[in-house]
Amino acid sequence: MQRYEPAEIEPRWQRVWEEEGLYRASDDPEDTRPRFYALDMFPYPSGDLHLGHAEAFSGGDAVARFRGLQGHNVLHPIGWDSFGLPAENAAIKRGIHPKQWTYENIEQQARSFKRMGMSFDWTRRVQTSDPEYYRWTQWLFLKLFDMGLAYRKNAPANWCPNDQTVLANEQVINGFCERCGAAVVRKDLTQWFFKITDYAQRLLDDVDTLEEWPERVITMQRNWIGRSEGATVRFAVEGTDDDVEVFTTRPDTLWGVTFFVFASEHPLVPKLAELGGTSEEARALIHRLQATPLTNREQAESREGVRLGVHVVNPVNGERVPVFVAPYVLMEYGTGAVMGVPAHDQRDFEFAREHGLEIRVVIQPPEEERDAASMTEAYDHEGVMVHSGPFDGQRSPESIAKVAQWLEEQGLGRPAVTFRLRDWLISRQRYWGAPIPIIHCDEHGEVPVPEADLPVELPEDVDFRPGGESPLARHDRFVKTTCPTCGRDARRDTDTMDTFVDSSWYFFRYCSPGYEDGAFRREDVERWPVSQYTGGVEHAILHLLYARFVTKALYDAGMVPFVEPFARLMNQGQVIFGGASMSKSKGNIVEPMPLVERWGADSMRLTMLFASPFEDDIDWKLIAGDPDRRPGAHQWLGRVFAAVADSAAGGGDEPMELVRLTHRTIRGVTEDLERFRFNVAISKLMVLSNEMRQVLDAGGAARGAAEALVQMLAPLAPFAAEELWRAVLGHGESVHVSRWPGYDDALAAQETLTLIVQVDGKVRDKVEVPADADDARVLELAHASENARRAIGDREVAKEIVRAPKLVNLVTR
RNA sequence: GCCGAAGUGGCGGAACUGGCAGACGCGCCGGACUCAAAAUCCGGUUCCCCUCGGGGAGUGGGGGUUCGAUUCCCCCCUUCGGCACCA
């Protein structure tokens, strides 16, 4: 009998697969198979693969292999997101070059992927830190620059004092650096931005077309974009010729404005402070605010603020209202100034109470008199407009649009939409990234590097330790260049790009491997739209939003034929340990590769996929806490080996019941894999293998079941399936190029079923009946049931519910 | 606070369109094999009661619809995830 020895089997087939080139996607125009692009989020090379990779790629690979078996021409590529800060930090710590650290890790991960038996098309491998790749990342930058979607401006930015670089808003978590956890501070810097806000509406609208995305990701994207409808209104600043605009979602409350507040960074503030002869106190506050981090919540949640000593005029009623500066107003949202309506906005209410300002009710709740003096909180629900001039008696919120309309007619404002989404800050003051391909010329300003001169290579001999400015700025040979326009001395931009730029387009590059005349060919991308994207939910906003934006921009440039990059998205759950995420500091990290060496890649995959639904978290401690204990998956594979070997050896007729179960299993597993229900698919395979064992032990044959079982195992445990298919069942070709087994619905149907006999909805008996038993027959059987009769007792059956052949319910009352 | 997802045995989890709750696996218990152990195989395993035929309860809690609810509706509780002065 064949013993299951993964340590012997797996490396052997790994070599054979490589020699046979089994997993290459075909670009042959004669190839008429339907195409399937199975994309996995590419890894960051921070060391060897971790358990999260094992989980994600086990699922992604199962999908790719399953589609291949179903007759698709599958593109299943792999690459590395290999620029980025952690490489630099790790390199500094180890005293080596980031390049060395990165590429060693890539090679290690590549070996591990091969050891895991991933069905990657290695000929399409990309690494974002390769000049052949980032050449096109730079091209993308220039394309966006051409389109007016990349621009540079001086603005307060989130600065991480530890990593010594700016961060995108998306990378600041509650005021702390996403990567290192240091408190973020504010710094005024000239930075490059991508104008993602131009696409806010389209990014929001098209989210509705992503029917195959997880609901929670859709919701997160919507919330992040954060669309608000309302109006902008212009207030005149008394004593000047200046106007100041505010955005409000509640123009219906305009008659309740009793004060006005600026963000401290608002450009008008210095002028107004001077005009109002503002106190030392005000100056001190403004100064302090401008030195605090953008995202300092404690600051923002206070209701402090100071009068500037000037007034603005409410355009709807001509009233003068006092002007303040306060930290609760953010420069980044809306216009950086708000109108204060304390009666109907909680923040304004608190501010008014704090500073003794008038509270004026202009939306009267139904059935109830509200008066300002007794209010304990703002009223922000529906009601009737009062003290509102021409709008008295109108119902809010229906009146909001009417007021906005009216403002436009009166020339006081107009309906407006504001988004929470900010432009994407893409420049970084660190070394290990793609240089921004811009040359600064005194004469000609920001001049794009000519496409023919790309890539702007990242020099290796750089002192890359962070120092508050870009390390590249210290590298004279890099910096000094000539202006492409006038040929005079000029300076290269010394910032590098956010690595999310690298990863915003890598899935296009896979379609045109090695292409040297462009980032990709349009026809390749058209041929290979992503069919399935697999990866972690931690990218629900950042990466996915950026990739969607870049795809839309490239669509507008005529370079790709679709507006959404990923039709289907599947998020695997996280692998945690003992209820907590794994981390070095907790000392609970489990390395997958030693387990793969010990128990086999197939066991690792099956353990992962069987543990829970793919999108749910797996607590490794619960499912495989003891590394010395033989995993259940390994045990089962051993039983499968025995059963298949016995089936191959034995002859004779296969019992009809086993044939039927086989067909039923094929039908079920096919459906399950289509819906990524790997855990359920595996359980069905277990049922089939258990039944095979029974049949074999009773002296029956099971060859047909064995063949089907092995094929269905192929996407989930590819090495074991291959060994069984070729070495045990004696097939000449790989199971991975075999044709997914079909099923016959008639055979998949049960021959007999269990009839449930209920009395008053309670199960009283179970009777085996032929699958074609009709209503009369099952009713007869139900009445014949001893148990049912006893349950009925001397009562009368008032109603009979018959669902032949599955159920009869006899109702006595 | 707002948005989203989810609550089923000791554990991970099954259950098609409302029709056998707990598939499958882990763990545990018992047995076989063994001098013994490991490995392997076989059997049992929701809880309570029982005269061993069976009976009762049971899918976070409370209501409702229905012959029948893990599944549909309403209210509540809890957990997880995201966002959070966004004007």
Side-chain angles (χ1 to χ4, degrees), chain A residues 581-594:
Chain A
S581 58
M582 292 191 197
S583 74
K584 257 183 214 152
S585 56
K586 294 191 194 99
N588 62 354
I589 291 191
V590 177
E591 301 269 2
M593 295 321 291

Side-chain angles (χ1 to χ4, degrees), chain A residues 483-497:
Chain A
C483 172
T485 307
C486 63
R488 268 178 264 173
D489 284 353
R491 295 172 53 84
R492 285 192 191 282
D493 199 293
T494 56
D495 283 354
T496 53
M497 281 186 256

Side-chain angles (χ1 to χ4, degrees), chain A residues 28-68:
Chain A
D28 180 357
E30 304 286 292
D31 194 326
T32 56
R33 291 175 296 167
R35 280 178 288 266
F36 193 92
Y37 183 176
L39 178 67
D40 302 306
M41 288 185 187
F42 63 168
Y44 184 81
S46 56
D48 201 352
L49 298 182
H50 50 72
L51 274 183
H53 291 126
E55 158 84 355
F57 286 95
S58 294
D61 197 48
V63 169
R65 288 179 178 278
F66 171 59
R67 295 298 173 177

Side-chain angles (χ1 to χ4, degrees), chain A residues 7 123 150 215 251 270 359-360 383 397 423 478 536 578 584 590 613 678 704:
Chain A
T123 64
E215 193 54 45
I359 295 170
R360 186 189 302 167
D423 275 342
F478 177 83
K584 257 183 214 152
V590 177
F678 307 116

Side-chain angles (χ1 to χ4, degrees), chain A residues 304-590:
Chain A
E304 66 178 317
V306 290
R307 263 177 219 265
L308 284 182
V310 295
H311 292 78
V312 295
V313 179
N314 185 342
V316 303
N317 56 12
E319 281 186 29
R320 300 168 70 236
V321 295
V323 171
F324 291 76
V325 167
Y328 86 87
V329 177
L330 310 174
M331 191 60 221
E332 302 81 50
Y333 186 77
T335 63
V338 302
M339 58 189 213
V341 186
H344 306 295
D345 179 283
Q346 186 59 24
R347 297 154 297 177
D348 295 347
F349 180 85
E350 289 164 14
F351 191 80
R353 279 280 149 91
E354 184 80 27
H355 297 274
L357 296 160
E358 184 196 348
I359 295 170
R360 186 189 302 167
V361 173
V362 293
I363 305 291
Q364 199 60 248
E367 317 286 320
E368 180 191 357
E369 277 292 299
R370 283 266 162 157
D371 76 290
S374 64
M375 284 174 86
T376 55
E377 59 177 16
Y379 180 80
D380 54 10
H381 309 288
E382 60 182 43
V384 175
M385 292 176 69
V386 294
H387 309 303
S388 295
F391 286 91
D392 277 352
Q394 296 258 9
R395 291 197 55 81
S396 172
E398 297 90 300
S399 57
I400 291 177
K402 289 181 200 164
V403 175
Q405 193 59 44
W406 176 83
L407 286 168
E408 185 158 42
E409 285 158 18
Q410 302 293 312
L412 308 175
R414 63 197 146 76
V417 170
T418 297
F419 294 92
R420 205 189 80 105
L421 185 69
R422 312 283 157 72
D423 275 342
W424 175 13
L425 200 175
I426 59 114
S427 43
R428 296 289 179 276
Q429 291 72 51
R430 292 296 296 251
Y431 165 68
W432 191 235
I436 289 174
I438 289 287
I439 292 165
H440 298 281
C441 169
D442 289 342
E443 183 97 2
H444 298 98
E446 295 153 359
V447 183
V449 172
E451 207 179 308
D453 294 350
L454 296 181
V456 176
E457 283 211 48
L458 184 68
E460 283 184 35
D461 54 338
V462 175
D463 174 11
F464 50 79
R465 286 166 307 176
E469 58 169 356
S470 296
L472 287 177
R474 301 194 286 258
H475 192 284
D476 269 1
R477 267 183 301 118
F478 177 83
V479 174
K480 283 187 184 160
T481 185
T482 53
C483 172
T485 307
C486 63
R488 268 178 264 173
D489 284 353
R491 295 172 53 84
R492 285 192 191 282
D493 199 293
T494 56
D495 283 354
T496 53
M497 281 186 256
D498 181 6
T499 55
F500 280 108
V501 180
D502 307 335
S503 58
S504 68
W505 72 280
Y506 75 106
F507 45 93
F508 293 136
R509 184 64 185 172
Y510 286 142
C511 304
S512 301
Y515 183 49
E516 290 185 7
D517 300 328
F520 51 82
R521 291 185 202 86
R522 186 185 153 106
E523 61 266 31
D524 290 339
V525 166
E526 186 154 24
R527 190 165 41 228
W528 292 109
V530 174
S531 314
Q532 173 66 48
Y533 197 19
T534 305
V537 73
E538 66 272 19
H539 292 114
I541 297 173
L542 296 158
H543 164 60
L544 289 173
L545 192 67
Y546 297 148
R548 294 181 62 219
F549 159 64
V550 166
T551 300
K552 287 178 196 305
L554 290 172
Y555 172 84
D556 290 350
M559 310 219 44
V560 302
F562 38 73
V563 294
E564 282 293 334
F566 314 122
R568 291 179 86 159
L569 176 70
M570 174 171 83
N571 290 130
Q572 83 279 1
Q574 288 188 14
V575 185
I576 57 174
F577 193 90
S581 58
M582 292 191 197
S583 74
K584 257 183 214 152
S585 56
K586 294 191 194 99
N588 62 354
I589 291 191
V590 177

